[in-house]
Amino acid sequence: RLQQTAPGLCNLDEIIRTGGGHHRDEYGTAVAVGCDLLVVGAPHVRVGGSGTGAAYVFARNQGGPEQWDLVKRLTADDPNRSVAFGYSVAVDCDTIVVGDPLVGTRERRGIGAAYVYERNYDPDHPDLPSPDNWGLVRVLMDPEWAAWSTFGRSVDIACNTAIVGAP
């Protein structure tokens, strides 16, 4: 984290890491910050025995003033299909979008997807608030299901509108 000390000058104030990481996890491939939240993508973190990826959600002021603490580790809804979950990330207050441009099927690889999560949401009980939970709301996929479209290679969100790139 950089902290401005004077106009045009910044100091490195804090390095935010998760425990037990490995350089092959590619932690920090994508980062997004908004509304006192930080999301860090690690598209090759091992989940369930394979390198399917994760996105780490940090909240400011959780463990003390101006500290960033891990509040949730997001993973793909189907780790058997996921390949690079966390390759791209975006956050807009209570909504997070995580891209996996390589997810697909055996017949069509690299279709890609973007996963939309909401704060205080539980997909098993959508009508009940679930404090401090980040629940999967929707999976967005390329409507044409084109192999190697890499849908989800870039993502952004603002004002309840998600944008997903497929170069």
Side-chain angles (χ1 to χ4, degrees):
R1 178 180 81 149
L2 295 176
Q3 187 168 18
Q4 187 171 1
T5 56
L9 298 175
C10 294
N11 286 335
L12 181 62
D13 185 49
E14 182 179 359
I15 296 174
I16 300 170
R17 294 187 174 119
T18 62
H22 191 275
H23 73 276
R24 287 189 216 130
D25 295 346
E26 294 191 23
Y27 176 84
T29 292
V31 295
V33 66
C35 299
D36 289 333
L37 291 172
L38 168 67
V39 182
V40 179
H44 296 296
V45 148
R46 295 182 70 74
V47 176
S50 64
T52 59
Y56 296 88
V57 182
F58 295 86
R60 187 184 341 209
N61 300 327
Q62 292 293 305
E66 295 302 314
Q67 289 188 18
W68 292 89
D69 287 322
L70 180 66
V71 294
K72 185 75 173 180
R73 178 182 186 223
L74 303 174
T75 57
D77 66 331
D78 182 359
N80 295 319
R81 280 190 14 205
S82 184
V83 179
F85 183 90
Y87 185 90
S88 58
V89 296
V91 61
D92 186 25
C93 294
D94 292 330
T95 307
I96 292 173
V97 181
V98 180
D100 181 344
L102 301 179
V103 69
T105 65
R106 180 169 287 166
E107 296 80 28
R108 293 187 176 163
R109 297 177 185 218
I111 295 168
Y115 299 80
V116 181
Y117 294 85
E118 285 189 12
R119 188 192 325 235
N120 303 330
Y121 179 76
D122 181 352
D124 296 328
H125 305 285
D127 297 332
L128 300 173
S130 182
D132 300 322
N133 188 50
W134 286 92
L136 180 64
V137 176
R138 178 172 290 140
V139 178
L140 306 172
M141 298 190 82
D142 180 352
E144 296 178 7
W145 276 65
W148 298 111
S149 68
T150 64
F151 186 84
R153 190 168 185 184
S154 59
V155 296
D156 201 359
I157 186 164
C159 302
N160 294 321
T161 301
I163 306 294
V164 182

